[in-house]
């Protein structure tokens, strides 16, 4: 561990796609596994892990203790055989999709539109266009709170829609993914998925993607739209006119604005349809004074 990969009082708004969030007391970017393992062994406070920050709302009071970021570390990806690869958690989903096109792996095109890291995709079971991350996971490498590395089989996890339960407290370091032989990922597919997203989602704005999970048999965006909330604003954020399950930070929102809007949507949809909307986005940190 070196001093220059630890920053004190780092604004987390720099590390989240909503561009909000208070300070992390300690912000640590490990250089490698040894560095990370040593850090975990020698620090016993609470740890918050951050990938690309595209599915997280950090409150304005920030995070006490340590935030570990993999955005600039764990970036290796390698081919294992003609249908599988190993990706470290700092690789972005887009990089994985591009790698798949170059190496005739398929079907991995769906990863291209998810702006998170492989670590975030494993934690969230990220997915779209009919596929989910864990469909393709053959094994994972993880690290525990004591800095010990384990190799685990997917069977040891409980996987469901945008949710993964761990067998013990852990963080992901890498995964091996196997892609079936049928079909390969092509650039044409990537372009067509990108065009379809551009048409339906506010991709050039500061958002966290879909805020709510789709309730069984419904689409969260549809329920929000039918509640008359498209365009509804609280402070510096509003519900996207393009896709009602997206909240846009378009006028210097605080995390409090966003969380208040989330609560307002939940109450309105509950009153109107009797349906509870659960957040897909993870909310962490402390409220400001
Ligand atoms: C424009 C836009 C479009 C999106 N489209 C989609 C979509 O189509 N499908 C979809 O599923 N999601 C989508 N998302 C949401 C988001 O990109 C995914 O949930 C992604 O998987 C989050 O990855 P991340 O690296 O940003 O994770 P973060 O937001 O940094 O973290 C998310 C959670 O994962 C944990 N975490 C991160 N890395 C690790 C690790 N290595 N080990 C253990 N825990 C870890 C964090 O602690 C946190 O709890 C979209 C977001 C945006 C902004």
């Amino acid at each position: 561990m070196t001093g220059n990969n630890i920053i004190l009082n780092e604004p987390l708004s720099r590390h989240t796609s909503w561009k909000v969030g208070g300070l992390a007391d300690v912000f640590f970017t490990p250089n490698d596994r040894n560095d990370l393992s040593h850090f975990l062994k020698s620090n016993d406070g609470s740890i918050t892990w951050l990938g690309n920050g595209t599915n997280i709302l950090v409150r304005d009071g920030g995070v006490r203790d340590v935030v570990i970021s993999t955005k600039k570390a764990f970036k290796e990806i390698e081919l294992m055989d003609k249908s599988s690869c190993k990706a470290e958690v700092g690789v972005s989903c887009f990089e994985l999709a591009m790698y798949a096109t170059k190496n005739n792996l398929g079907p991995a095109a769906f990863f291209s539109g998810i702006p998170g890291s492989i670590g975030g995709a494993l934690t969230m079971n990220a997915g779209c266009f009919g596929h989910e991350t864990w469909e393709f996971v053959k094994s994972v490498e993880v690290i525990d709170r004591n800095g010990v590395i384990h190799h685990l089989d997917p069977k040891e996890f409980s996987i469901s829609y945008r949710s993964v339960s761990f067998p013990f407290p852990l963080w992901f370091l890498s995964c091996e993914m196997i892609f079936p032989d049928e079909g390969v990922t092509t650039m044409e597919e990537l372009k067509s998925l990108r065009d379809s997203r551009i048409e339906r989602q506010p991709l050039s704005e500061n958002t966290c993607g879909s805020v709510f999970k789709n309730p069984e048999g419904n689409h969260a965006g549809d329920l929000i739209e039918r509640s008359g909330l498209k365009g509804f604003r609280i402070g510096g954020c509003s519900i996207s006119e393009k896709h009602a399950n997206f909240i846009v930070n378009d006028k210097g929102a605080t995390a409090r604005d966003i969380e208040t809007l989330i609560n307002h949507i939940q109450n309105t949809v509950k009153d109107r349809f009797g349906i509870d909307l659960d957040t897909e986005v993870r909310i962490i940190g402390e409220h400001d004074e």
Side-chain angles (χ1 to χ4, degrees), residues 99-116:
Y99 190 83
T101 64
K102 285 192 196 108
N103 292 283
N104 296 321
L105 299 171
F110 77 99
F111 277 115
S112 63
I114 301 174

Side-chain angles (χ1 to χ4, degrees), residues 15 17-18 48-57 68 70 89-90 93 110 113-129 133 162 166 170-174 197 201-203 205-210 246 280-282 284:
H15 303 278
S17 57
W18 252 328
T48 297
W49 203 282
L50 204 58
N52 286 357
T54 62
N55 199 52
I56 211 154
L57 175 63
I68 296 181
T70 55
V89 290
C93 292
F110 77 99
I114 301 174
S117 64
I118 295 302
L122 287 169
T123 310
M124 300 304 307
N125 191 21
C128 52
F129 297 111
T133 302
R162 302 294 174 273
F166 303 168
L170 59 81
W171 298 284
F172 296 104
L173 294 181
S174 72
R197 273 182 182 267
Q201 300 178 353
L203 294 190
E205 306 206 57
N206 298 328
T207 76
C208 233
S210 293
F246 281 57
E280 178 172 326
V281 160
R282 305 244 173 132
I284 62 161

Side-chain angles (χ1 to χ4, degrees), residues 11-25:
L12 291 174
S13 52
R14 289 187 188 155
H15 303 278
T16 59
S17 57
W18 252 328
K19 310 283 182 224
V20 299
L23 305 181
D25 284 359

Side-chain angles (χ1 to χ4, degrees), residues 173-289:
L173 294 181
S174 72
C175 68
E176 201 177 323
M177 294 188 133
I178 181 152
F179 294 96
D181 284 341
E182 79 257 15
V184 291
T185 306
T186 63
M187 282 307 286
E188 287 66 37
E189 245 185 301
L190 260 56
K191 282 181 192 142
S192 132
L193 296 187
R194 184 201 57 197
D195 291 348
S196 135
R197 273 182 182 267
I198 289 173
E199 207 179 301
R200 294 181 299 115
Q201 300 178 353
L203 294 190
S204 57
E205 306 206 57
N206 298 328
T207 76
C208 233
S210 293
V211 176
F212 300 101
K213 294 182 191 178
N214 289 323
E216 188 84 42
N218 277 293
H219 286 285
D222 184 47
L223 295 170
I224 299 167
E225 186 169 351
R226 283 161 56 211
S227 298
L229 286 173
K230 257 192 171 179
F232 186 84
R233 167 175 300 282
I234 288 185
C237 62
S238 61
I239 298 171
S240 168
E241 293 282 1
K242 210 166 185 181
H243 192 312
N245 200 11
F246 281 57
I247 292 180
V248 180
N249 174 5
D250 50 357
K251 292 194 172 158
T254 60
R256 186 180 288 273
D257 293 340
I258 295 174
E259 198 169 354
T260 308
L261 184 50
I262 288 173
N263 294 336
H264 180 76
I265 294 169
Q266 286 172 320
N267 292 336
T268 309
V269 168
K270 178 76 177 173
D271 284 350
R272 181 88 199 261
F273 299 105
I275 294 174
D276 291 307
L277 286 182
D278 289 336
T279 51
E280 178 172 326
V281 160
R282 305 244 173 132
I283 303 176
I284 62 161
E286 308 199 356
H287 292 289
D288 55 358
E289 294 302 300

